[in-house]
Amino acid sequence: MKTKRVLAFSLSLLAASQLHAAVELLNVSYDPTRELYSEFNKAFASHWKKQTGEDVKIATSHGGSGSQSRLIQDGSEADVATLALAYDIDAIHDKGSTGAFDKPLIPKDWQSRLPHNSSPYTSTIVLLVRKGNPKNIKDWYDLAREDVSVITPNPKTGGGARLNFLAAWSYGLKKFGGDEAKTREFLGKIYKNALKNGLPPAARAGTIAFTERKLGDVSISWENEALLVKKQNPDYEIVTPSVSILAEPPVTVVDGYVDRHNTRKQATAYLEYLYTPEGQDIIGKNFYRPWDPEVKAKYASQFKNLSLTTIADFGGWTQAQKTYFSDRGVFDQIIKGIRK
């Protein structure tokens, strides 16, 4: 009888400990979202505690979007992915599996599960220069000058780096009347200037190279990253190019892993909270462009109006990836030509 009582007591203690144990989520994200999710994670944890009484802890991993996508494909058990490009999440569907029955980690229609094609914020690409703009950089064309040194990450590993390339390509097509040969030559000059410093693996590494290591005359940057740098250090200015590209960083629950971890409810609520007025305010405060009309109006003064191309102009991400960033694609051809 005594043994049974001890066993029952032990089981009740175990149940109580499980009841009060914090739920843990892993958000695998791209490089410049560190400040955004540091603030957002605290806000969501507080919101979830008030709503459910449950503690939730969120760990966030950062790196180049392409590299982060491959981490999940290779078995990093993310509950949610918040990456730079839809292509990088599509790749998780195409190439990642739970290992059990070879089932995809996420469904093919993942983008239909949340508003705005599962992109809770947008951004774009701008040019970051030092105070006084000593090289008098006004637009993309100046990045091709022989006296200019450029910082831009490697499109093979970073999502923003692919946007940098496509934004410059869009400018080239417009400037040269759609002439792809001249546009390719123009991009070759920009990347020749970038190779003077090497190609950092991701956006934040590029920012560090420019602001801390003092490399380069101009950094091709996410708008939110450039605005953050300018806020923290008055020694930098932003040049808004005449043409840029719309960035729509997407988010998704990673179904194979939330089902394994029994965290679908919490992970889904975490992403949905990005779309609430509270979440959208944190987004705007961290220099991403929010969707909520009132929040958008609140932060409108920090964003410039730009002429934006979209990924649809390149046939969508699958086509753009194949044409420009696959092995022996346009980017590889340009780099090979520079190194000859």
Side-chain angles (χ1 to χ4, degrees), residues 127 135-151 168 171-172 175-176 182-194 196 217-218 220 338:
L127 308 177
K135 288 295 180 79
N136 194 30
I137 292 166
K138 297 179 179 178
D139 210 337
W140 291 104
Y141 194 76
D142 294 302
L143 275 59
R145 287 170 17 206
E146 290 185 359
D147 66 323
V148 171
S149 176
V150 176
I151 298 291
Y171 171 88
K175 181 171 182 62
F176 301 115
K182 289 184 178 179
T183 300
R184 187 184 291 243
E185 181 183 359
F186 169 64
L187 267 289
K189 291 178 180 178
I190 291 178
Y191 278 90
K192 183 177 181 180
N193 288 339
K196 295 174 184 177
D217 301 304
V218 56
I220 309 176
I338 295 169

Side-chain angles (χ1 to χ4, degrees), residues 25-34 37 41 58-65 67-69 71-72 76-78 80-83 270:
L25 299 178
L26 173 60
N27 174 4
V28 172
S29 193
Y30 67 106
D31 213 30
T33 61
R34 298 166 193 268
Y37 283 111
N41 290 351
I58 305 107
T60 311
S61 165
H62 298 276
S65 186
S67 299
Q68 294 292 83
S69 174
L71 277 179
I72 298 173
S76 178
E77 296 198 7
V80 299
T82 59
L83 298 180
Y270 176 78

